[in-house]
Structures are given as structure tokens and as C-alpha cells.
């Protein structure tokens, strides 16, 4: 039987809601995000072993450490292409970023050079049901700029900041150490985002490049 559980995040993040059963985690989203509108609304809250394991994973993550284990995940109803994209997301290292084009090229290479649309990759990334553990927040635009995030742009920036991602590098295929000047700019950005009713990514990208 499916059920849900809430996770209280540190200051600076919206709380999380998880969905699953006794054995597998099937959903993880920020409370109030559009992901929550499509699943979990009528499920009963219940503690389960996989929820406890997920909470332990999140405790490690929000302490700024990369967890060395993963709760049991189950992706429901995924097409083969969507599953490939989600698998590729899990290959993006902690503190690193990748673009939709990078993911499309990686999948194309595995299929002998067959053309893969970055737009199709974007659609699959946007349908990721298990946020953070399957790190769609690490996906950025081709120019390194921020893109939409179903969990809210403020949460995306905060997650990347927690991981020490360098927003000022044109490309970021490897983790970057957090710097005081980066953190100061991120705090300015987060403050700006909280004041925007629509979370406009265009203004955010301008701030990051100043």
C-alpha cells in the first residue's frame, strides 16, 4: 500500500514529501511544488523502512556530505528513453553540473551516434519523480545558466550551493570548491528569488553573471 511521509529540511529549503510503500521509494518532491499536485495528495501518512532509510540519506545530504548509500528506488511507468535519462542524471557527480545537451550526447554515444534531442531530454528531466536522489537540480542550460525546476528555482539554487557548485564557471563537469564570494552572490540571489512570485530564471541568471 502506498503512503507518504514528510521530511523537515534545514532553513533555506522548502520541506520535502516522499511517497512509496514498504519496500521502495517512488516519489520525492518539495512541498508545494507542482510535483506534489500530481501525486500523493490523497495518500495516508505512514512511517516505513524505506522512508526511514530515505530520511537517513537526506540527513547526510543536508549535512553537506555525499551519502554512500541509496534507498531502494522504483520508477513507475518510465519509457526506455526516460529511464536512460534518469540513469544519466544519477551519473552527474555531487557538486557538478551538466546540460541537457551533455545528457543527449551521452545517450547518443551509447546508441552509436543516433541523434537525441536535447528538448526530449528536457521533457524527461522535468518528469523526474524522485528529486535530489536522482539529481535533476544539477542540470543547467547549455550556457551554464539556470533553467526551470519543478521544485522551485530557489530550492535548485540552494541545493547547488549546498554542494559547492561554481555558478561562475562556463562549464562545470567536475565538483568545485565553495568560495566566500560565490556564497555571498548566492545569498543575494536567494533573497531576490524569494521576492519573485514567478521565480523568473532570466533575472536570476543576470544576477549570477554580475
Amino acid at each position: 500500500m502506498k503512503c507518504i511521509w514528510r521530511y523537515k529540511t534545514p532553513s533555506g529549503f522548502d520541506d520535502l514529501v516522499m511517497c512509496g510503500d514498504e519496500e521502495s521509494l517512488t516519489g520525492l518532491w518539495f512541498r508545494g511544488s507542482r510535483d506534489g499536485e500530481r501525486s500523493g495528495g490523497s495518500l495516508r501518512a505512514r512511517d516505513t523502512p524505506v522512508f526511514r532509510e530515505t530520511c537517513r540519506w537526506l540527513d547526510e545530504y543536508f549535512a553537506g556530505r555525499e551519502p554512500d548509500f541509496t534507498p531502494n528506488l522504483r520508477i513507475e511507468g518510465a519509457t526506455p528513453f526516460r529511464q536512460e535519462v534518469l540513469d544519466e542524471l544519477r551519473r552527474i557527480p555531487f557538486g557538478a553540473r551538466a546540460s541537457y545537451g551533455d545528457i543527449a550526447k551521452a545517450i547518443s554515444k551509447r546508441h552509436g551516434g543516433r541523434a537525441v534531442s536535447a528538448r526530449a531530454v528536457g521533457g524527461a528531466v522535468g518528469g523526474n519523480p524522485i528529486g535530489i536522489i536522482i539529481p535533476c537540480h544539477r542540470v543547467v542550460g547549455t550556457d551554464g545558466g539556470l533553467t526551470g525546476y519543478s521544485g522551485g528555482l530557489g530550492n535548485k539554487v540552494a541545493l547547488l550551493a549546498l554542494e559547492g557548485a561554481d555558478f561562475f564557471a562556463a562549464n562545470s563537469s567536475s565538483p568545485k570548491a565553495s568560495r566566500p564570494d560565490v556564497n555571498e552572490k548566492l545569498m543575494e540571489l536567494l533573497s531576490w528569488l524569494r521576492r519573485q512570485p514567478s521565480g523568473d530564471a532570466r533575472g536570476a541568471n543576470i544576477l549570477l553573471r554580475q
Side-chain angles (χ1 to χ4, degrees):
M1 180 180 66
K2 275 196 173 183
C3 45
I4 62 171
W5 196 253
R6 185 179 298 176
Y7 179 86
K8 178 67 177 175
T9 61
S11 176
F13 299 90
D14 292 325
D15 287 346
L16 289 160
V17 178
M18 58 191 77
C19 173
D21 52 30
E22 292 285 343
E23 298 180 353
S24 303
L25 183 72
T26 60
L28 181 64
W29 60 85
F30 282 103
R31 188 182 178 201
S33 71
R34 67 173 183 258
D35 296 308
E37 298 173 3
R38 67 184 183 219
S39 59
S42 61
L43 297 178
R44 182 168 63 92
R46 181 186 176 194
D47 192 9
T48 70
V50 74
F51 288 166
R52 289 192 291 273
E53 187 78 346
T54 301
C55 288
R56 190 165 70 89
W57 190 99
L58 291 169
D59 287 345
E60 284 287 306
Y61 178 84
F62 283 110
R65 299 184 291 268
E66 182 178 12
D68 60 2
F69 65 97
T70 303
N72 188 44
L73 311 179
R74 185 175 74 246
I75 306 298
E76 299 178 322
T79 64
F81 175 75
R82 183 182 175 203
Q83 186 64 59
E84 275 196 278
V85 171
L86 297 180
D87 289 344
E88 202 61 41
L89 291 179
R90 297 180 70 178
R91 294 186 179 97
I92 306 173
F94 183 97
R97 296 177 293 155
S99 71
Y100 299 106
D102 293 333
I103 295 171
K105 287 176 185 176
I107 294 174
S108 174
K109 185 176 181 180
R110 282 203 304 275
H111 290 275
R114 186 189 72 194
V116 175
S117 164
R119 184 181 295 273
V121 168
V125 171
N128 174 27
I130 303 176
I132 306 181
I133 297 176
I134 300 179
C136 54
H137 63 277
R138 295 175 189 160
V139 181
V140 297
T142 302
D143 64 351
L146 297 173
T147 58
Y149 181 57
S150 62
L153 193 57
N155 286 314
K156 176 171 183 168
V157 171
L159 290 171
L160 291 172
L162 174 71
E163 296 180 12
D166 187 346
F167 288 85
F168 300 94
N171 297 292
S172 183
S173 58
S174 61
K176 303 289 184 181
S178 181
R179 305 194 313 262
D181 59 315
V182 172
N183 289 335
E184 182 179 347
K185 180 61 70 174
L186 288 174
M187 292 308 101
E188 178 187 347
L189 172 61
L190 282 170
S191 176
W192 180 88
L193 283 169
R194 297 301 184 190
R195 299 194 301 271
Q196 307 307 307
S198 62
D200 189 347
R202 292 171 297 176
N205 284 324
I206 292 171
L207 276 175
L208 283 172
R209 284 165 172 74
Q210 289 178 347

